[in-house]
Amino acid sequence: MTADTAARDERAMPKGRDLYVILGALMLAMLLAALDQTIVSTALPTIVSDLGGLNHLSWVVTAYLLASTASTPLWGKLGDQYGRKRLFQTSIVIFLIGSALCGLAQGMSELIMFRALQGLGGGGLMVLVVAIVGDVVPPRERGRFQGLFGAVFGVASVCGPLLGGWFVDNLSWRWVFYINVPIGILALIVIAAVLHTAGERERHRIDYLGTLLIVGWAVGLVLMTTWGGTTYDWISPQIIALGAGSVVLIAVWIAVEQRAAEPIMPPRLFASSVFSLSSAISFVVGFAMFGALTFLPIFLQVVHGVSPTLSGVHLLPMMLGMLASSIASGQLISKFGRYKVYPLVGTPIIAAALFLCSRLDEDSSTLSMSLRFALLGFGLGLVMQVLVIAVQNTVSYGDLGSATSGVTFFRQIGGSFGVAVFGSVFSNRLAAHVEDLAKDRMLPPGFDPAAVQGNPKLLDRYPGQVKDGVLHAYAQSIDTVFLWAVPVAAVAFVLTWFLREVPLRATSSAPDYGEGFGGAPTVRSSRHEIERALSELMRRDAGALELYERLGAVSGVNLPAGSMWALCRIAKDGSVRGDVLAERAGVPVEQGRPYVDRLVHAGFVVRHDGTLTITDTGEEAAERLFTARREGLAEHLDGWSPGEHPELADVLARLARASLGDEADGREVHAEPAGGSQRS
């Protein structure tokens, strides 16, 4: 890493208004992709009423989850290889086309197909937004901005069901998809006009076959759980063939991944008990979270007769509980360094909340429902954040990125299965209960439960006995859904007892709230994960003044903090005009001149016609400061062995150089008395 390269990279990054415009567009794009995981839930009853296909309800959610999950690794590596801007624009276009087609869908099969297309674009939005942030934000600031992007997931989790219900009540369910179009076009225009940074290019050997095999076995298993017991008997040739075919595809996938140059998920990861257990628990978390988000709105809208908007309001306790416990657990882990206790507490809370939800009926009060939903969300939040931390804390550096992506991958796959299984159980039980009502002659001829699901007020046309019977049938069916989920959560509780806790690395104490909020999986390299964690840790450093004083003492550079900042800045630029240097420091020229005078008098810098140029002696002094900073950062990587990983050593060198002479520190270090501090 040369000074010229580092300075050129930093100068290429957008500044000021341009940076904030780009970040705003990126946050809009991520919000769109995150919203589409949850916004559909409160609109599902109305969609089924309009398009029919009650048995295919779960696929409206599952198609999006599977497509976004499977495509994420491809988008990430293609972006590295061919440039992120064009790939990001492509993903937005695909997402918008899918959204528009979803809004125009005239049948359930069309909607499911277009949701898959939308998910394909959504996967690109998720992973490329994260990568582009690394291209446009200086390392010292990435932790702060990545925290904002993590908050986007929180906003999407809370607002998704609420917005979905509002669109259904005030416009049409089709606007759940149409709303993406103007917002996406705005993001597309802004990115095209303002984003000019190219980012680094990296060649990859992309695992296309592994991706196709993942899609194959995941779809096969989801179809098996969707059709089993509803469309076909569990022991029918179709279901047996789907199960056997999926097992074969899994075996082929494992064999392919063992030979792939860059596998999507290296099989050696499963040799780690922490990764295997965390993935299994993550699967259960996704199973419970997405299953609940899909079927609770049906319970609320049909059984309790609330509007789609109000059903979104009723779900707020769940989402707020999840956010609160996720943030709190992350903070407590950072402070105390212990993480196993949270899934040990969280998984039984999930199981208890699911059991309590299975006891809800048409007479349950709003307070009773809200407390149960909040308890479920609280339990989910305790577990999600911790699983990523546990895995990152135990795997080798080379597997860090794959392991992080793997845990979130299994959460999304679990969500797909949860929605499919819940949907199958719901359809089976509802059909059985409606059949019992028909046998007891409690239903009029031609009664359609799907029509009631889309418009519960239709029940007002029937006698009270019929209405009560149908509402009870719906309540019993959804209760069974949650009851079936209880043993799944109990299995996760048992698994957490075997989760090994090891002393927390410093990098693992910088949690990623994007993952903690249940966002879609991202494909992150080990380098990206280390850069993200170190950026967050750098953000927690003492103030710039104290940092430079400490580095000066360690490196033997006896200068005021303001002079050291200027020395590092000039060393990175090679030469710079005095007025430009003052502008970067955020101070008047007169205020900064005494610090530069110290450098000139020491022979570190030459001043000629207002231009400041680094000398060999100054270059050597700056290198001592950069080295001290690099060694300080390396202390956060205890156990990663930077000496054994040239890439990791390069990350340290890059971050050390980028974080000194940083414009964000200029004003603070030049706020000393003009004579400068001698404590360094």
Side-chain angles (χ1 to χ4, degrees), residues 512-556:
D512 182 353
Y513 290 113
E515 300 297 355
F517 293 153
T522 56
V523 55
R524 296 178 175 178
S525 65
S526 298
R527 180 187 187 115
H528 179 280
E529 282 301 313
I530 286 295
E531 285 184 339
R532 180 198 62 77
L534 285 177
S535 296
E536 175 63 22
L537 292 171
M538 286 192 297
R539 192 169 67 89
R540 301 178 188 175
D541 274 345
L545 181 62
E546 293 84 356
L547 173 64
Y548 281 94
E549 291 177 342
R550 186 170 67 245
L551 292 176
V554 170
S555 63

Side-chain angles (χ1 to χ4, degrees), residues 613-642:
T613 304
I614 195 77
T615 65
D616 291 342
T617 305
E619 187 72 54
E620 187 272 335
E623 283 300 325
R624 297 208 308 269
L625 289 169
F626 292 138
T627 299
R629 179 59 165 157
R630 184 173 68 247
E631 291 173 353
L633 291 175
E635 293 177 2
H636 293 310
L637 303 182
D638 183 36
W640 291 123
S641 304

Side-chain angles (χ1 to χ4, degrees), residues 1-13 15 138-140 538 548 563-576 581 584 599 604-605 612-615 618-623 625-626 629 652-666:
M1 173 64 59
T2 66
D4 289 344
T5 303
R8 185 172 62 250
D9 289 348
E10 190 172 342
R11 285 196 296 268
M13 290 181 175
K15 303 289 194 300
R140 183 73 177 273
M538 286 192 297
Y548 281 94
S563 296
M564 284 187 279
W565 180 91
L567 177 64
C568 293
R569 182 71 256 174
I570 297 169
K572 292 197 292 184
D573 290 339
S575 65
V576 61
L581 183 66
R584 288 180 174 171
L599 299 179
F604 293 153
V605 169
L612 304 167
T613 304
I614 195 77
T615 65
E619 187 72 54
E620 187 272 335
E623 283 300 325
L625 289 169
F626 292 138
R629 179 59 165 157
L652 289 173
R654 179 186 289 267
L655 290 179
R657 184 173 291 273
S659 62
L660 296 184
D662 185 15
E663 295 177 18
D665 297 335

Side-chain angles (χ1 to χ4, degrees), residues 7 80 129 152 159 179 212 298 306 326 339 370 380 390 429 440 542 673:
D80 288 345
V129 161
V152 170
C159 294
I179 190 60
L212 289 174
I298 296 175
V306 303
S326 181
Y339 56 85
S370 296
L380 291 170
R429 299 313 305 156
D440 295 338

